[in-house]
Amino acid sequence: MPTIEFLGNGFGATKTVDAPEGGALVDICDEHFCPVPFSCRSASCGTCHSEIVQGIEHLAPAEPLEQELLDLLGGGPNSRLACQAEVLPGPGLIRIRSHLG
Ligand code: FES
């Protein structure tokens, strides 16, 4: 089962959750009160822009709508929008650091 570790960025503590079925990262964050801020939830604002420190291969590739904003935000190949990312089922570790959280 994927384990997702949300890293503190100096303001928040690290939080670890298990996501046995995978699924929408935004739903996992909501369910477990994870330290990632959201606003539009539709790939428009960049509030949820996050760095995938480890395990980006356990996320489905970005769809064009997400990729368009990622290109504008310029976060590099390991950056994703937490409101758009889909966690793939299966074993693994994903480590995430929100740019704002
Ligand atoms: S919450 Fe606005 S882009 Fe994700």
Side-chain angles (χ1 to χ4, degrees):
M1 76 179 59
T3 297
I4 307 174
E5 194 173 285
F6 295 88
L7 304 176
N9 62 3
F11 300 103
T14 297
K15 181 176 185 110
T16 303
V17 302
D18 290 322
E21 310 287 332
L25 182 56
V26 63
D27 292 339
I28 295 168
C29 288
D30 284 349
E31 188 176 332
H32 298 280
F33 304 102
C34 297
V36 177
F38 294 98
S39 183
C40 71
R41 297 173 181 248
S42 60
S44 298
C45 70
T47 301
C48 68
H49 190 209
S50 299
E51 177 186 5
I52 311 303
V53 177
Q54 180 179 339
I56 199 164
E57 68 273 18
H58 302 298
L59 299 177
E63 296 289 334
L65 182 66
E66 179 185 1
Q67 192 60 55
E68 188 176 320
L69 183 53
L70 289 173
D71 291 344
L72 287 172
L73 293 170
N78 289 339
S79 102
R80 295 296 300 266
L81 300 178
C83 73
Q84 301 298 304
E86 287 284 326
V87 177
L88 300 172
L93 174 64
I94 303 169
R95 301 176 80 215
I96 298 174
R97 178 178 286 117
S98 167
H99 288 296
L100 295 178

